[in-house]
Amino acid sequence: LYIADKAICNEQKLSCLQEIFANKNVRGIGYPQELLYKSNNECVGFLMTYYIGESLYDTVFVPKVVQESQWSRVELATLAINILDRFITLHSCGVLMADVNPFNILIQKGSQSPIFIDVDSYQVNDRYPCLVYTLEYRSPRLVDIENSTVMYRSKEDEYYAIAVLLFKIFLV
C-alpha cells in the first residue's frame, strides 16, 4: 500500500503506469496496480505488490555488508546484469527511472534479482516528467540547468546514471 503524503497525486500518470506495466505483465517492478481515492474521488495513492528486501545501497554499497555477506564477483555481475534487464524492460515500455539511485532498487536476501520501486516518480515518455533527481547520478548534460527537476531526461541521461550505478556495484 502506498499513500501519497503531502504530495500531489498525479492520477493520470499513475493510471498510465498501471496500464503500461499491467499490459506487459512485468515482474520485479513495483508499479501501481490499483489507484486509491478519498470519498470525494481525489486520488491519494495506489496499491502495489509488497516486496521484502533492502535497498541496493544497504545491500551492496556498504563494504562491510558486502564482506560479511560474502558477495562474489560473479554474484555482483549477475546482479548488474539483472538490473540492466530491468532497465531494458522499462525502456521498452517508454519509461525511464530518471531518478536512478540505489535507494530505488530493492534486493531480496540471498537473491540477485532486483526490484524497482518508487515508480510513481518515473518519467513516462514525453508525457510525464520525473520531478526529482539524485545529484551524484545526474547527467553532465543537466548540471548547468538551473531547474532540471522539470526537464525531461533522455535515454542518454539515464545511461549515464546507470553507468555510475554499475561502477559503484563493482567498486565494492
Side-chain angles (χ1 to χ4, degrees):
L1 169 66
Y2 171 85
I3 298 178
D5 184 25
K6 297 181 182 177
I8 298 172
C9 183
N10 188 332
E11 181 178 6
Q12 291 80 21
K13 181 178 182 179
L14 292 173
S15 292
C16 184
L17 286 164
Q18 179 183 18
E19 184 178 317
I20 287 170
F21 291 123
N23 288 340
K24 297 278 187 180
N25 194 25
V26 299
R27 295 180 331 182
I29 298 175
Y31 65 90
Q33 295 180 340
E34 186 177 334
L35 302 187
L36 301 173
Y37 296 90
K38 286 184 177 179
S39 59
N40 65 357
N41 285 334
E42 177 188 357
C43 183
V44 293
F46 60 90
L47 295 176
M48 65 180 192
T49 301
Y50 179 73
Y51 294 103
I52 297 174
E54 293 187 56
S55 74
L56 178 64
Y57 181 87
D58 292 330
T59 309
V60 175
F61 286 13
V62 179
K64 182 180 177 187
V65 172
V66 174
Q67 289 169 351
E68 289 174 3
S69 67
Q70 298 179 339
W71 279 85
S72 71
R73 286 304 216 185
V74 171
E75 290 169 329
L76 290 173
T78 302
L79 175 63
I81 289 167
N82 291 337
I83 287 171
L84 289 172
D85 188 51
R86 292 285 189 272
F87 277 107
I88 289 168
T89 299
L90 285 181
H91 295 173
S92 71
C93 294
V95 176
L96 299 178
M97 181 182 277
D99 183 26
V100 175
N101 72 71
F103 295 101
N104 286 344
I105 302 172
L106 293 182
I107 307 297
Q108 295 175 322
K109 189 172 180 136
S111 170
Q112 291 99 38
S113 185
I115 299 161
F116 284 15
I117 59 170
D118 200 16
V119 176
D120 57 314
S121 70
Y122 289 12
Q123 177 176 304
V124 183
N125 300 313
D126 290 332
R127 292 173 58 190
Y128 304 105
C130 173
L131 301 177
V132 294
Y133 65 90
T134 302
L135 190 58
E136 65 188 291
Y137 295 89
R138 189 175 175 188
S139 165
R141 183 181 75 86
L142 303 174
V143 169
D144 292 331
I145 298 172
E146 274 187 46
N147 191 4
S148 66
T149 60
V150 295
M151 179 180 198
Y152 286 93
R153 275 57 160 227
S154 67
K155 276 191 181 177
E156 288 72 24
D157 297 326
E158 181 116 317
Y159 295 155
Y160 175 86
I162 294 168
V164 171
L165 188 77
L166 294 175
F167 177 80
K168 288 182 169 221
I169 289 172
F170 291 114
L171 184 64
V172 177

